[in-house]
Amino acid sequence: MSRFSTYIFDLDGTLIDSAPAILASFRQAFEQTGTAPVRPIGSDIIGPPLKETLELLSGTTDPGTIERLSDAFKSAYDGGGLKATTAYEGVDRMLHDLRAAGKSLHIATNKRLHPTRAILDMFGWRDLFDSVYALDMTEPRLPSKAAMIERQLSELSLQATETAYVGDRAEDGESADANALAFFAATWGYGALTPDELSPGWTLLPDPDAKVLLSA
């Protein structure tokens, strides 16, 4: 039986494949605002918060430009684009198996709170999670994923020694390290880490399988 009572999950690239929906909405936002991206709009840009991604794609930090792009993206994505999101094969079973084993499940994501909740509802997952944390859940928004997880642990009285974080990017592992959490690196998402990229203490998660998590 796992020593962990609690699992916190990243969302994009870990539980869901949102690339088609996100990339289509980015392309629509740039086309609608007449802005030329300075780099290809590909899956490698998925993961960071919206504002940072728009700055990267547009090559500017001009507040007016970023606001127009942000509004256009939200209109496209929240207005129906997110329905193109799919769950990775095996994830639904993994989540239900963890809950059946009595584990507490949580979300900590860079994704905005509104579409996060909409996607959880779309897959019928809302009741599987005891909390959903996002950077924009506060105003001003939380400064980083590490700070978000720190707040989550504190507000919910979660014990670091009994909690693991599951994500697909180096930022996820670094955020887990910053909060003294065990980290499982998902290998199936866009930011999938290879064995050579794992920091000491990180565990490779080859498949979305509750048995792997429960045996750790």
Side-chain angles (χ1 to χ4, degrees):
M1 181 61 68
S2 173
R3 70 182 188 274
F4 304 114
S5 62
T6 304
Y7 295 89
I8 304 175
F9 288 90
D10 172 50
L11 188 62
D12 291 321
T14 301
L15 299 182
I16 60 172
D17 181 359
S18 51
I22 289 175
L23 298 179
S25 297
F26 273 128
R27 294 185 183 108
Q28 185 172 333
F30 276 84
E31 181 178 352
Q32 181 180 323
T33 60
T35 307
V38 298
R39 59 176 292 167
I41 300 177
S43 59
D44 60 309
I45 57 94
I46 297 176
L50 177 60
K51 178 175 179 288
E52 282 83 339
T53 303
L54 290 172
E55 290 175 347
L56 177 70
L57 289 173
S58 66
T60 182
T61 58
D62 174 65
T65 300
I66 299 303
E67 183 176 4
R68 287 191 296 274
L69 285 167
S70 179
D71 288 345
F73 174 87
K74 291 175 183 178
S75 177
Y77 190 67
D78 298 1
L82 60 80
K83 293 179 181 178
T85 302
T86 59
Y88 287 112
E89 184 177 357
V91 163
D92 184 79
R93 177 65 181 271
M94 174 185 69
L95 296 175
H96 280 89
D97 285 350
L98 288 172
R99 287 295 289 190
K103 304 305 179 181
S104 177
L105 308 183
H106 304 262
I107 295 285
T109 177
N110 284 337
K111 199 176 199 72
R112 291 176 297 115
L113 189 58
H114 174 74
T116 294
R117 287 173 170 165
I119 288 169
L120 294 179
D121 287 340
M122 186 171 71
F123 291 118
W125 290 349
R126 182 78 81 97
D127 292 342
L128 294 176
F129 293 97
D130 296 316
S131 75
V132 178
Y133 276 55
L135 292 183
D136 70 340
M137 65 185 292
T138 64
E139 183 60 44
R141 75 173 198 185
L142 295 166
S144 66
K145 181 169 282 188
M148 174 171 52
I149 293 174
E150 180 181 18
R151 180 184 180 119
Q152 194 169 25
L153 295 172
S154 175
E155 291 185 344
L156 302 179
S157 299
L158 302 178
Q159 300 301 310
T161 55
E162 299 177 3
T163 303
Y165 189 61
V166 184
D168 69 312
R169 303 173 67 241
E171 179 207 14
D172 297 326
E174 291 160 1
S175 298
D177 286 347
N179 287 283
L181 302 184
F183 176 63
F184 290 90
T187 62
W188 54 86
Y190 340 109
L193 298 166
T194 66
D196 292 341
E197 295 173 317
L198 298 185
S199 291
W202 295 3
T203 301
L204 205 64
L205 186 62
D207 301 291
D209 188 339
K211 293 178 182 177
V212 178
L213 294 172
L214 292 172
S215 64

